[in-house]
Amino acid sequence: MRGFAAVLMGAALSLAHSGVSQMGSPDARPVPGMPGVAGPLAEKYGADAARILQAAESDEDGYAALTYLCDHVGKRLSGTPQLNTAVAWGAELMRKAGLQNVIVQPVMVPRWVRGSESATMMYKGESGPITRPLHMLGLGMSMGTPAGGITAPVVFVANFDALDAMTPDEVKGKIVVYNPGWHGYGVNTQYRTYGASRAAEKGAVGMLVRSATALAMQIPHTGTLVYDAKQPRIPAAAISVEDALMIERLCKEGPVTVHLEMQAHMDADVEAGNVMGEIVGSEHPEQVVSIGGHIDSWDVGQGAQDDGSGIMAAYQAVTLIHKLGLKPKRTIRLVFWVNEENGGAGGRAYRKMVGGKIGDQVAAIEMDEGAEKPLGLGYGSFGGPRRPRNTTGAAAVPAGLPDVSAMPAKVQQSVAVLQDIVSMLGPIGSDSVSAGGGGSDIEPLTADGVPALSPRTVDAHYFDWHHTEADTLDKVDPVEFRKNAAMLSVVAYVLADMDGRLAGRKGSGE
């Protein structure tokens, strides 16, 4: 990123002499699907943005904090001592950085315990017997098996339609194995989330699902499931892509049996907390731009990309503003939300804390898709998926905008404003605005009209690593991490200081 700041400074000075219209005027028009369009905000804040980019290039505090979090705290599932260690450490980190009003908001979180687990596949077809241990991880919130496990024949299905076409007699007493292929995270997680109850409705005694990833490396990916209260609860686990494919092949030849043992269980809820610190606004301290990610992780790997990189990039973004002595008119609130992975209690508690002052929440920015190369900003107030997913593993292309001209006037103006802001991020290649944006932790806010924003990255490898033992620090490139921090810093600062506000879903005419 060295040298980019000088380029941006030159562009800002050029804009200063170009007669660009003031914010909100008819001249500030969005260009659908195009990179950021420079306008009056770039004229006003270009020099500050250049300073932020230059400082971010050499600032090592964020990555150093991420290193400590990964190597010395490690995995931090809700309800564990490691999570509370991370919470206390996060609060002290904010205090040492000079943030104001640092607090830990108490939040009760679930305590799911994985315990010992294993699965073995057995085949006794005409071509000869096969016995093989499966690469598996129990799904979060799953119940366990009885002592000694369960042994049952497998019924393989490619999708829910195939399961629905079966009779209860064809499924009763069996273990359902789903392999829908890879069609993107949003599609595949439906099987992980709801597959157990769909199988139990037909009488299944267990469920295995292909991991939600395109990468075949014998690495299982965990994640949470949701039980339907109307159906029996059955044990459920994810298996590697390779194992799912082998079961699929063998089921075409003859009967396959699986022995599944899981000690998973729920304990009583445990107190944890959302961690918060602020740069208090100089003119409108009651108005807040919230920015952050989730501090909890799964109980595998180090939670480096998901979501250590998110909270530490947000931390660096906010502390850069503080170090540079920039004093926005509104308050910037850094938040490490808790319990995103298996419950969402932190996001709900934060919304409850805001209460009737929801109108003072100017914007909510959540980073929770890893710190790969940033492309720009997702805006969630005019539809589109929250997080469009890369299904190929190749570098992504920024998603274009829908027809902006058909949107309400307030949304059109907000898109133009965001394109103006990201135009200042051209030097780091992050100058696009796309549909969708937000995150699980801020959904309770954005459901009540707070504008939702999130970084967009190339998303080339995030689903190779996340929710696995491979989600470790070495997967986070320091250079790309600092670019993400720089993008967040510029966006948060301008939103907190500019005149006017973005449109959210409510009050925008949608």
Side-chain angles (χ1 to χ4, degrees):
M1 194 159 53
R2 191 166 301 280
F4 289 163
V7 173
L8 182 60
M9 182 70 78
L13 292 174
S14 176
L15 281 169
H17 298 287
S18 65
V20 178
S21 61
Q22 294 302 304
M23 176 185 168
S25 73
D27 293 332
R29 297 292 187 185
V31 180
M34 296 295 290
V37 180
L41 292 177
E43 177 184 1
K44 180 177 181 180
Y45 293 105
D48 289 333
R51 292 177 64 205
I52 290 172
L53 292 184
Q54 186 175 44
E57 181 183 7
S58 59
D59 192 297
E60 298 182 353
D61 287 354
Y63 199 84
L66 176 63
T67 300
Y68 185 90
L69 178 67
C70 291
D71 290 344
H72 296 277
V73 179
K75 63 192 76 172
R76 39 198 188 277
L77 182 64
S78 288
T80 63
Q82 291 90 344
L83 175 63
N84 284 353
T85 296
V87 166
W89 169 81
E92 185 61 20
L93 186 72
M94 292 186 192
R95 293 188 187 98
K96 289 182 177 179
L99 299 187
Q100 299 165 275
N101 301 328
V102 176
I103 64 167
V104 174
Q105 177 195 14
V107 180
M108 297 302 294
V109 300
R111 167 71 166 144
W112 177 77
V113 180
R114 179 179 300 278
S116 177
E117 57 185 16
S118 65
T120 303
M121 178 195 69
M122 294 157 284
Y123 169 76
K124 297 182 179 179
E126 294 181 0
S127 56
I130 300 173
T131 299
R132 174 176 292 187
L134 299 175
H135 301 81
M136 61 85 74
L137 276 174
L139 295 180
M141 313 303 276
S142 175
M143 64 171 290
T145 62
I150 57 174
T151 303
V154 160
V155 57
F156 167 82
V157 294
N159 49 49
F160 287 139
D161 289 341
L163 179 67
D164 291 342
M166 292 183 170
T167 66
D169 287 342
E170 292 177 292
V171 180
K172 185 177 181 181
K174 298 180 180 179
I175 294 175
V176 169
V177 177
Y178 295 99
N179 181 16
W182 176 244
H183 303 288
Y185 191 68
V187 173
N188 282 67
T189 53
Q190 299 299 307
Y191 294 89
R192 186 186 74 196
T193 305
Y194 306 113
S197 290
R198 294 284 291 269
E201 185 178 9
K202 293 277 189 174
V205 295
M207 183 274 274
L208 300 176
V209 62
R210 168 190 165 135
S211 290
T213 179
L215 182 68
M217 289 287 287
Q218 291 290 23
I219 300 175
H221 295 229
T222 191
T224 198
L225 62 75
V226 176
Y227 283 122
D228 183 342
K230 298 178 182 178
Q231 306 300 333
R233 297 190 172 201
I234 61 175
I239 57 176
S240 70
V241 172
E242 295 90 338
D243 286 347
L245 291 169
M246 185 172 187
I247 290 174
E248 179 179 356
R249 293 193 303 270
L250 291 175
C251 282
K252 295 175 182 177
E253 298 180 15
V256 176
T257 300
V258 165
H259 178 74
L260 179 65
E261 291 192 40
M262 295 173 60
Q263 294 181 346
H265 63 276
M266 298 294 301
D267 283 345
D269 289 357
V270 175
E271 183 176 302
N274 292 328
V275 188
M276 291 176 267
E278 298 176 339
I279 296 176
V280 177
S282 60
E283 295 184 17
H284 305 290
E286 76 287 355
Q287 297 180 16
V288 177
V289 173
S290 298
I291 178 173
H294 63 88
I295 193 169
D296 62 303
S297 76
W298 281 108
D299 58 335
V300 290
Q302 295 180 323
Q305 287 283 22
D306 187 18
D307 187 28
S309 65
I311 59 174
M312 291 298 102
Y315 162 78
Q316 182 167 332
V318 176
T319 56
L320 280 171
I321 296 168
H322 177 67
K323 290 177 184 178
L324 292 171
L326 297 171
K327 299 186 182 300
K329 297 172 185 176
R330 303 182 178 97
T331 294
I332 298 176
R333 180 177 295 155
L334 175 64
V335 188
F336 299 165
W337 284 280
V338 74
N339 186 227
E340 188 272 349
E341 294 291 7
N342 63 335
R348 293 192 299 273
Y350 185 85
R351 174 64 186 90
K352 185 176 181 180
M353 178 193 77
V354 170
K357 297 181 179 179
I358 190 70
D360 287 333
Q361 299 293 306
V362 174
I365 309 169
E366 181 170 353
M367 180 171 170
D368 186 18
E369 64 176 282
E372 295 182 83
K373 180 181 178 180
L375 300 175
L377 201 62
Y379 176 41
S381 293
F382 52 87
R386 174 173 67 85
R387 187 191 293 177
R389 289 309 187 183
N390 186 355
T391 62
T392 65
V397 175
L401 294 170
D403 183 5
V404 179
S405 65
M407 298 175 188
K410 290 182 179 179
V411 176
Q412 291 188 47
Q413 184 180 7
S414 294
V415 172
V417 166
L418 290 172
Q419 289 178 319
D420 192 353
I421 293 172
V422 301
S423 73
M424 294 180 274
L425 300 172
I428 59 172
S430 304
D431 56 347
S432 69
V433 178
S434 59
S440 298
D441 293 306
I442 63 176
E443 280 177 1
L445 295 175
T446 59
D448 284 333
V450 179
L453 302 167
S454 60
R456 292 283 189 241
T457 75
V458 294
D459 202 13
H461 296 291
Y462 183 74
F463 289 104
D464 297 346
W465 308 315
H466 105 310
H467 295 190
T468 76
E469 290 286 0
D471 187 8
T472 48
L473 179 68
D474 52 285
K475 308 305 187 304
V476 184
D477 182 282
V479 173
E480 303 304 341
F481 172 86
R482 288 193 285 269
K483 288 180 183 178
N484 276 276
M487 176 174 66
L488 291 172
S489 190
V490 170
V491 172
Y493 174 66
V494 176
L495 290 177
D497 194 72
M498 70 181 191
D499 297 327
R501 297 166 58 155
L502 301 176
R505 280 196 172 274
K506 292 188 176 181
S508 64
E510 296 184 272

